[in-house]
Every structure is written in structure tokens, then in C-alpha cells.
Amino acid sequence: MKTKVMIVDDQFVSRQLFEMYLKSSDKYELVYAVESAAFADTFVLKKPIDLVLMDILMTDGSNGLDAAVRIKKNRPDIKIIAVTSMPEASWLERAREIGIESFWYKEASEDTILEVMDRTMAGESVYPDSTPKVRIGLADSGEFTERELEVLRIMTTGVSNAVIAQKLDITENTVKSHIRHMMEKTGCESRTELAIEARVSGIVISTE
């Protein structure tokens, strides 16, 4: 019996590629291909689904990780593979906390999506060892500390240093120090330039 699959991805090309991979395999059957995570949890209740390929960040504002929480609550038996092209490090940790079985980077993974699907359906949890490396100015994404990334993630929403300090329960001077260090690493000449570079690279993505 074929494994029944739902694709949740807002990018048309990605959905088409996933559909092509499924059709090339005699193990999988596509049941749904939807472009938003907003109602993904209701789709899995309509027809039998064994596996969900779940993109994380959608253009309509819906979030695949939030959808995965709802799916796991109602149908914990369904296996989920989170798929993304964004190197946002916090997503790996949150996916594990949710109980998502596997995690696959679209452009950077050595394994193909079919290989990850096979291993996941065989009971394995497949996660990358680290996030893909990206450049921000002169710096490599691996050069940032976890706290610097937390500051940067909130900073990209356009709030003040005082708000960042409040959210992270640190002093405003500490926030300024972290931002100064990141500007030195990247060569960015302003706080705004740093925030723009960070958003473009995808190293941090705020879902607030």
C-alpha cells in the first residue's frame, strides 16, 4: 500500500518538484498539495494522510511549525517533514520540540527529499547537523553567538533597543554592545544596514 502524502508549500515551483518526485516513486501517493499552512490541520482530517511535507514560512503569514503543532495534537500518528530554504537556526530546535520527525533544507541537504521520506517512514528521525552557512557582509553566519542572533531576530522587526532589552530581559547597554559587535563582524555601517542584511540572508526570521 502506498504512503499517502500531503504537500504544504506556498511556492508553485516547489510544489511541482515535490509532485514530480512523488510520481517518480511507486511508494508514495499524493493526496493534497496546498499553498497555505493555515488550514493544513483540517485537510488531514478529511482523508487518510500518512506523511506531510511542510514548508515553514508562507507568504500569507501562516507558519508550518504552528500548523504542525495542530496536526500533532489531533493526529499524532501522522509523520511530518519540515522543509525550508531559510537558515533560521531556531526552527530546528522548535521542530524537535514539536515532535516533527524530520527536517530538510531545500537547497543545502545532501540527501534527496525521497531519501528523507523513505528514512522517515522507516521510523528514523532525519535532522541536519547544522543550519546552512550564509554570509552577512564580511561575516559567516556561524560567527554569531546565540544571544546575538536573538537580538538580531527582534531587531529585524524594527523595534528600539529598549524594546529588545525588555523582551530579552537584558540591559539596553548590553543590546547596544551586541549590535556593535555584529556591526564590527559584518562591516555594516549602521544598525539599519545590519537588519536589512540579516533579513535578506534569512539567518533570522521573526514570526511575531
Side-chain angles (χ1 to χ4, degrees):
M1 186 179 292
K2 291 186 177 182
T3 297
K4 300 186 185 319
V5 181
M6 178 169 75
I7 298 168
V8 184
D9 197 312
D10 65 335
Q11 294 181 345
F12 176 76
V13 174
S14 291
R15 289 200 308 277
Q16 290 287 95
L17 281 172
F18 288 145
E19 288 181 30
M20 184 180 70
Y21 294 144
L22 294 181
K23 288 176 182 176
S24 72
S25 170
D26 57 3
K27 299 178 183 177
Y28 300 100
E29 175 188 340
L30 178 63
V31 178
Y32 293 117
V34 298
E35 59 186 37
S36 172
F39 304 106
D41 55 311
T42 61
F43 278 97
V44 301
L45 301 177
K46 293 179 179 179
K47 291 184 180 180
I49 299 288
D50 304 306
L51 176 66
V52 178
L53 303 183
M54 181 74 77
D55 192 19
I56 296 178
L57 193 64
M58 314 280 171
T59 52
D60 67 351
S62 61
N63 185 294
L65 297 180
D66 294 339
V69 171
R70 298 192 298 270
I71 289 172
K72 285 296 185 182
K73 180 180 180 181
N74 296 319
R75 289 288 309 278
D77 56 303
I78 292 178
K79 295 183 183 296
I80 301 174
I81 301 175
V83 298
T84 185
S85 57
M86 300 292 185
E88 164 59 82
S90 68
W91 288 350
L92 278 174
E93 183 180 351
R94 185 165 182 232
R96 283 194 173 97
E97 290 172 352
I98 292 168
I100 290 174
E101 279 72 18
S102 298
F103 199 108
W104 186 75
Y105 285 110
K106 293 179 182 178
E107 283 89 13
S109 295
E110 292 182 6
D111 293 330
T112 68
I113 186 61
L114 281 177
E115 288 171 335
V116 175
M117 290 166 65
D118 289 346
R119 292 168 63 187
T120 301
M121 293 311 297
E124 193 175 343
S125 181
V126 185
Y127 271 76
D129 295 327
S130 60
T131 58
K133 293 289 188 289
V134 294
R135 299 290 296 180
I136 302 182
L138 304 175
D140 183 281
S141 55
E143 296 177 40
F144 294 88
T145 66
E146 190 171 332
R147 178 60 93 183
E148 285 174 343
L149 290 175
E150 289 175 340
V151 170
L152 195 55
R153 188 174 295 114
I154 300 171
M155 194 177 85
T156 59
T157 65
V159 299
S160 66
N161 289 347
V163 172
I164 297 172
Q166 183 179 23
K167 285 178 176 287
L168 295 178
D169 196 24
I170 56 179
T171 67
E172 194 170 341
N173 282 336
T174 300
V175 172
K176 291 178 181 177
S177 178
H178 284 309
I179 293 173
R180 186 176 68 252
H181 287 155
M182 287 188 284
M183 288 172 60
E184 290 170 354
K185 291 176 184 179
T186 60
C188 291
E189 296 183 357
S190 69
R191 185 182 187 278
T192 302
E193 183 184 354
L194 176 62
I196 291 171
E197 290 280 351
R199 290 185 70 168
V200 170
S201 71
I203 185 176
V204 288
I205 298 172
S206 175
T207 54
E208 294 185 3

